[in-house]
C-alpha cells in the first residue's frame, strides 16, 4: 500500500522513530528495531537496492561513506544492477513493480522517468513516512528542478534525489589559449552559440585535433531528452509552450509548439555545425564543419573517447566525464569547463524558463518499493542520502553532483571537480527538465527519429518538425 500523510501506520512509525532517538541519542535504530519493522541487519536479510554504474564500480567505498555519514552499520547493503542502460532499467522496474515483488527494497530512478511510475502509483509516497525535517531539507535546500522530477502534481514527494546531472562544455584549454582565446572568462557568463562556433572553428583550424565540437546526435534518448532540448530551449523554443505551465501536463490539454520558429532555427544551427553553410537548411551566421558526421551515430561514450584522448577541441557531456577527463591520467588541468552557449539572450524569449544558457536536467532519485519488508531501513538510507557528509563523499568518490547546492559550493577542495564549482553551480541553476509525463516514453522515440533525420539532411527541417508536431499531438490526444 502506498504511504500518505493520513497513513496511520506511517505516522506511528515516525513517532516511534523520533521517540527512540530521544531516548537513546542515536539514529542507528534499524538494528534495534528490526524485529518490529523488518529492517535488514547483518546476518539477516540485506537491504537490496539497485545502483548506478558508478556505485557498482566503487561499492565498497560508497558503502563505507554511507556508514561514516550515519547509516547504521547493522544494515547490510546489497547493490544490484537494474539493467545495462536507462531504457533496460525502466523496463525491468516496470516488471518488478507490476509483479508486486518485495525486492529490490530501493530503486534508483532516472529523473527522466520517475514521474510515470508516480502516476501509476507504483512507488511509495514518502509523505508521512520520512521525518518532517528530512522532507523540509529536500524541498527547501535541494536544486528545485531535481526535486520536481520526483514530486506529483499535489506536491507529494516520492523520492530523494541522489544527484542531479547537468551538462557542460568541456574543452582543451591549452588549445584555446594557444589560438589566442580566453574561455575561462565564460565560466559563469556564457557566450552565444554564434561566438562559440566561430571561435571553436578557429581553434580547430589552428590545432592538430582530429575533431572539433563533439556532441550526441544518434537517434536515441540522449538526443530527445537532452541535446535537442538544450538547443531548442537556448533559442527560446519548447515542446509544449510555457514550461512553467505545461512541462508536466496536462496531457492532451497543452499546445504542441515543436514546429515554431525558434525550434526551426535551433535545428538549422545544429545542421550548420555538421554540414557547413553551403548545405540546405543551414545558417550563414554560424561557423560550420566543426562537428563530424560521426555524431549521427554517437552516444555518450563514443563522443567522449576522442576528447579523453586529447583528439577533440570540445565536448558536450555530463559531470561524470569531468571527473574522467580532468584526471591527471587524461587532460588534467589542461581541461576547461564552461556552461552551454545560448541561442537568444536570457529574457528575450516568449516562454519563461527558456533562452540563455540551458542545460537539460538529468540525474537519479532513490525511491522505495511499496512492497518492501524493510521500510525502516529504507527510510534511514534515504535520510543518510541527505547528509552533507555523504553528499560530499559521493561527489569526491564518483563525481555525483550534490543535490544540495550549498554542499556543492563548499567542496572546492575536492580533487578535479573542485576546480569547476563555479561553473557547476551556475549550470545547476539554469536547467530545464524534459517533459517527463506518463507518455514521454512513447514521445521520445519520434522526437529522436525526426530530429536525427533533420540533422542528417534526410528530410527538410520544417518538414521534420511539422511531422514531429503531428506525431506528438496524436499521442497527446490518444492518452487524453
Amino acid at each position: 500500500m502506498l504511504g500518505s500523510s493520513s497513513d496511520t501506520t506511517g505516522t506511528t512509525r515516525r513517532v516511534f522513530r523520533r521517540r527512540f532517538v530521544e531516548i537513546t541519542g542515536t539514529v542507528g535504530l534499524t538494528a534495534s528495531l528490526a524485529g518490529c519493522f523488518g529492517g535488514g541487519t547483518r546476518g539477516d536479510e540485506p537491504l537490496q537496492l539497485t545502483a548506478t554504474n558508478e556505485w557498482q564500480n566503487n561499492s565498497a567505498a560508497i558503502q563505507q561513506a554511507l556508514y561514516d555519514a550515519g547509516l547504521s552499520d547493522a544494515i547490510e547493503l546489497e547493490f544490484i544492477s537494474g539493467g545495462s542502460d536507462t531504457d533496460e532499467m525502466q523496463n525491468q522496474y516496470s516488471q518488478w513493480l507490476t509483479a508486486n515483488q518485495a525486492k529490490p527494497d530501493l530503486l534508483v530512478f532516472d529523473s527522466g522517468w520517475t514521474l510515470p511510475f508516480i502516476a501509476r502509483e507504483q512507488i511509495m509516497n514518502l509523505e508521512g513516512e520520512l521525518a518532517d525535517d528530512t522532507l523540509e531539507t529536500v524541498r527547501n535546500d535541494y536544486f528545485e528542478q531535481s526535486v520536481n522530477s520526483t514530486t506529483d502534481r499535489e506536491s507529494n514527494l516520492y523520492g530523494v534525489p541522489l544527484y542531479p546531472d547537468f551538462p557542460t562544455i568541456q574543452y582543451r584549454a591549452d588549445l584555446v589559449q594557444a589560438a589566442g582565446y580566453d574561455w575561462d572568462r565564460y565560466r559563469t557568463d556564457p557566450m552565444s552559440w554564434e561566438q562559440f562556433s566561430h571561435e571553436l572553428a578557429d581553434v580547430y583550424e589552428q590545432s592538430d585535433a582530429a575533431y572539433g565540437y563533439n556532441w550526441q546526435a544518434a537517434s536515441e534518448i540522449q538526443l530527445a531528452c537532452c541535446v535537442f532540448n538544450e538547443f531548442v530551449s537556448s533559442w527560446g523554443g519548447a515542446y509544449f509552450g510555457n514550461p512553467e505551465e505545461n512541462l508536466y501536463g496536462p496531457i492532451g490539454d497543452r499546445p504542441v509548439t515543436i514546429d515554431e520558429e525558434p525550434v526551426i532555427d535551433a535545428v538549422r544551427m545544429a545542421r550548420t555545425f555538421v554540414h557547413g553553410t553551403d548545405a540546405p537548411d543551414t545558417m550563414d551566421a554560424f561557423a560550420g564543419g566543426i562537428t563530424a558526421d560521426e555524431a549521427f551515430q554517437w552516444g555518450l561514450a563514443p563522443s567522449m573517447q576522442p576528447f579523453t584522448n586529447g583528439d577533440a577541441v570540445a565536448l558536450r557531456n555530463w559531470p561524470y566525464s569531468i571527473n574522467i577527463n580532468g584526471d591527471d591520467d587524461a587532460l588534467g588541468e589542461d581541461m576547461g569547463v564552461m556552461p552551454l552557449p545560448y541561442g537568444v539572450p536570457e529574457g528575450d524569449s516568449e516562454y519563461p524558463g527558456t533562452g540563455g544558457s540551458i542545460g537539460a536536467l538529468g540525474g537519479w532519485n532513490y525511491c522505495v518499493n511499496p512492497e518492501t519488508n524493510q521500510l525502516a531501513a529504507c527510510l534511514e538510507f534515504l535520510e543518510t542520502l541527505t547528509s552533507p557528509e555523504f553528499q560530499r563523499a559521493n561527489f569526491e568518490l564518483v563525481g555525483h553532483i550534490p543535490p544540495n547546492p550549498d554542499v556543492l559550493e563548499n567542496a572546492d577542495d575536492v580533487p578535479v571537480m573542485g576546480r569547476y564549482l563555479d561553473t557547476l553551480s551556475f549550470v545547476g541553476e539554469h536547467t530545464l527538465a524534459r517533459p517527463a509525463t506518463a507518455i514521454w516514453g512513447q514521445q521520445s522515440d519520434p522526437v529522436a527519429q525526426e530530429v536525427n533525420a533533420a540533422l542528417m539532411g534526410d528530410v527538410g527541417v520544417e518538414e521534420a518538425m511539422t511531422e514531429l508536431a503531428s506525431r506528438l499531438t496524436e499521442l497527446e490526444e490518444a492518452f487524453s
Side-chain angles (χ1 to χ4, degrees):
M1 179 183 295
L2 292 176
S4 69
S5 58
S6 60
D7 184 341
T8 304
T9 303
T11 303
T12 302
R13 289 192 190 102
R14 190 168 68 257
V15 172
F16 198 113
R17 179 166 62 248
R18 288 176 177 165
R19 182 59 180 154
F20 180 87
V21 172
E22 291 170 0
I23 295 172
T24 66
T26 178
V27 295
L29 62 93
T30 305
S32 301
L33 300 184
C36 297
F37 295 139
T41 62
R42 295 193 187 281
D44 191 9
E45 186 180 19
L47 187 68
Q48 189 179 83
L49 58 155
T50 61
T52 64
N53 289 334
E54 296 85 15
W55 271 29
Q56 292 180 66
N57 294 336
N58 298 273
S59 59
I62 291 295
Q63 290 187 57
Q64 188 59 54
L66 287 162
Y67 295 135
D68 290 345
L71 183 68
S72 170
D73 61 8
I75 300 176
E76 180 181 356
L77 300 175
E78 179 185 359
F79 290 175
I80 67 169
S81 172
S84 61
D85 58 39
T86 184
D87 290 337
E88 187 175 310
M89 292 176 75
Q90 184 176 7
N91 293 332
Q92 179 63 75
Y93 288 9
S94 182
Q95 293 175 27
W96 282 335
L97 295 172
T98 300
N100 296 320
Q101 295 182 193
K103 293 290 184 181
D105 302 285
L106 289 153
L107 303 104
V108 62
F109 277 76
D110 189 317
S111 66
W113 41 261
T114 309
L115 288 174
F117 283 85
I118 293 175
R120 294 194 294 267
E121 298 186 341
Q122 290 185 301
I123 49 182
M124 180 173 287
N125 185 343
L126 298 178
E127 305 292 332
E129 300 292 353
L130 281 176
D132 289 344
D133 56 352
T134 302
L135 292 169
E136 290 171 5
T137 294
V138 173
R139 286 200 178 98
N140 298 332
D141 298 343
Y142 279 30
F143 284 108
E144 181 180 2
Q145 288 278 351
S146 191
V147 177
N148 289 345
S149 74
T150 189
T151 303
D152 69 11
R153 296 180 71 86
E154 285 73 45
S155 299
N156 294 306
L157 188 72
Y158 282 77
V160 171
L162 171 63
Y163 69 96
D165 237 359
F166 23 78
T168 60
I169 299 289
Q170 298 160 45
Y171 63 89
R172 287 278 304 275
D174 54 338
L175 298 182
V176 170
Q177 291 165 6
Y181 298 102
D182 176 18
W183 285 4
D184 193 59
R185 64 194 291 189
Y186 302 111
R187 292 169 68 102
T188 59
D189 184 19
M191 67 172 83
S192 69
W193 282 116
E194 181 177 348
Q195 178 186 352
F196 172 77
S197 70
H198 286 286
E199 293 189 6
L200 188 136
D202 189 24
V203 176
Y204 184 26
E205 184 177 347
Q206 293 189 49
S207 75
D208 59 358
Y211 297 90
Y213 175 44
N214 288 12
W215 45 282
Q216 305 82 34
S219 180
E220 57 187 32
I221 187 62
Q222 188 68 209
L223 179 61
C225 76
C226 306
V227 177
F228 175 60
N229 192 16
E230 291 155 8
F231 283 143
V232 167
S233 301
S234 79
W235 274 88
Y239 281 104
F240 302 104
N242 184 347
E244 293 183 358
E245 297 176 353
N246 305 321
L247 187 65
Y248 295 131
I251 300 170
D253 191 26
R254 55 183 175 171
V256 174
T257 55
I258 206 63
D259 56 350
E260 294 183 341
E261 194 62 32
V263 180
I264 303 297
D265 288 341
V267 180
R268 285 177 173 158
M269 177 193 72
R271 275 184 49 79
T272 307
F273 290 169
V274 180
H275 299 287
T277 56
D278 292 335
D281 263 338
T282 56
M283 303 175 78
D284 291 339
F286 296 86
I290 60 175
T291 296
D293 59 10
E294 295 167 60
F296 299 136
Q297 285 78 46
W298 273 346
L300 293 172
S303 67
M304 184 178 75
Q305 194 59 55
F307 183 76
T308 306
N309 295 338
D311 293 332
V313 176
L315 168 73
R316 177 260 175 218
N317 211 334
W318 303 95
Y320 79 94
S321 65
I322 296 176
N323 223 27
I324 294 171
N325 297 321
D327 188 82
D328 289 339
D329 292 334
L331 301 176
E333 295 194 26
D334 283 337
M335 184 184 74
V337 177
M338 64 182 180
L340 295 177
Y342 63 85
V344 298
E346 188 174 2
D348 284 5
S349 55
E350 178 181 354
Y351 301 126
T354 68
S357 174
I358 301 287
L361 176 72
W364 293 79
N365 307 311
Y366 260 109
C367 303
V368 178
N369 179 348
E371 301 299 327
T372 180
N373 295 316
Q374 302 185 79
L375 179 57
C378 290
L379 298 177
E380 187 176 340
F381 173 86
L382 294 181
E383 290 173 354
T384 305
L385 292 187
T386 69
S387 159
E389 180 182 359
F390 173 73
Q391 290 180 24
R392 178 191 162 83
N394 194 32
F395 185 41
E396 182 169 354
L397 288 169
V398 298
H400 287 170
I401 300 294
N404 186 331
D406 288 341
V407 177
L408 174 62
E409 292 169 7
N410 288 287
D412 55 357
D413 58 337
V414 169
V416 182
M417 302 292 282
R419 298 198 296 262
Y420 311 108
L421 293 190
D422 53 353
T423 297
L424 292 171
S425 295
F426 176 89
V427 177
E429 300 293 346
H430 293 80
T431 62
L432 184 64
R434 71 204 77 174
T437 62
I439 61 169
W440 172 243
Q442 293 99 299
Q443 291 177 326
S444 62
D445 285 342
V447 171
Q449 293 161 7
E450 297 294 344
V451 174
N452 176 267
L455 292 173
M456 291 183 67
D458 293 344
V459 64
V461 174
E462 289 193 37
E463 180 183 351
M465 295 303 99
T466 298
E467 176 63 19
L468 177 57
S470 176
R471 294 177 70 179
L472 294 181
T473 299
E474 288 177 3
L475 287 167
E476 292 273 312
E477 292 175 347
F479 184 88
S480 61

